[in-house]
């Protein structure tokens, strides 16, 4: 993967726009960037206690993908292992955060942190496993290093994938 500098959010309203647009399937496809994924995740975890992120994230993202003409199959769309790795990372970030309460401030700090990098999941997964159909379709256990807090739908632990 090529490392690009993160695109930061100018305001809390910009973060809310991403989160609400994801839930309502009104976000423009081109707005659904890596940064938007992480902004929506932080917003859901920090601001929407009514949303069961572990239980609902797959459906939320899959529904959005389909609403903008995307597909969720073995080659594109929703990726369960990458999504759930970032959910674990964002939870950890929020637990450790000692800054202010602003959404944009927290999201921008996340994006600037190691957990915000596009390649962050590769600290825990080999490329072969992470980009496999099995990892896209379900939560795979890390094969490089443990990832604290990784859990699937209804809190289920990741499953080992034999390669």
């Amino acid at each position: 993967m090529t490392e690009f500098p993160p695109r930061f959010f100018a305001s809390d309203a910009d973060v809310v726009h991403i989160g609400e647009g994801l839930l309502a399937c009104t976000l423009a496809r081109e707005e659904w960037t890596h940064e938007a994924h992480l902004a929506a995740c932080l917003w859901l975890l920090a601001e929407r206690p009514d949303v069961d992120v572990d239980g609902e994230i797959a459906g939320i993202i899959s529904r959005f993908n389909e609403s903008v003409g995307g597909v969720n199959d073995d080659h594109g769309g929703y990726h369960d292992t990458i999504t759930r790795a970032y959910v674990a990372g964002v939870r950890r970030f929020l637990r450790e955060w000692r800054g202010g309460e602003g959404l944009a401030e927290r999201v921008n700090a996340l994006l600037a942190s190691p957990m915000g990098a596009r390649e962050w999941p590769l600290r825990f997964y080999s490329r072969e496993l992470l980009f496999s159909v099995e990892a896209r379709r379900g939560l795979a256990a890390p094969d490089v290093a443990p990832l604290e807090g990784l859990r699937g739908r209804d809190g289920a632990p990741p499953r080992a994938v034999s390669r």
Side-chain angles (χ1 to χ4, degrees):
M1 288 183 195
T2 304
E3 193 58 37
F4 297 99
R7 292 169 289 226
F8 295 114
F9 289 83
S11 69
D12 292 356
D14 292 341
V15 175
V16 172
H17 165 77
I18 295 293
E20 289 179 349
L22 172 65
L23 291 179
C25 295
T26 58
L27 195 64
R29 183 180 199 152
E30 57 274 4
E31 290 181 281
W32 192 228
T33 63
H34 171 73
E35 293 86 356
H37 279 74
L38 294 181
C41 183
L42 188 143
W43 177 76
L44 286 166
L45 291 169
E47 304 293 324
R48 292 296 304 265
D50 59 309
V51 176
D52 172 10
V53 174
D54 294 322
E56 297 178 47
I57 196 69
I60 290 168
I61 294 175
S62 294
R63 186 172 47 254
F64 171 76
N65 288 342
E66 292 167 2
S67 78
V68 294
V71 296
N72 300 294
D73 63 15
D74 290 348
H75 309 288
Y78 179 74
H79 192 298
D80 201 50
T81 299
I82 290 175
T83 298
R84 293 184 188 283
Y86 276 112
V87 170
V90 173
R91 276 193 175 111
R92 177 177 163 195
F93 174 84
L94 288 169
R95 273 194 318 272
E96 296 173 357
W97 175 247
R98 298 296 174 254
E101 292 298 313
L103 277 171
E105 178 184 2
R106 289 180 284 170
V107 169
N108 290 340
L110 170 65
L111 293 172
S113 77
M115 284 173 259
R118 286 171 173 80
E119 293 197 13
W120 182 76
L122 291 171
R123 293 178 179 208
F124 311 98
Y125 293 91
S126 65
R127 282 187 186 279
E128 178 185 18
L129 176 58
L130 189 61
F131 297 110
S132 69
V133 171
E134 296 86 359
R136 176 177 291 281
R137 289 296 186 184
L139 177 59
D143 63 341
V144 171
L147 176 53
E148 176 191 338
L150 187 63
R151 57 184 183 234
R153 193 180 314 253
D154 299 323
R159 60 181 169 63
V161 174
S162 58
R163 304 278 326 142

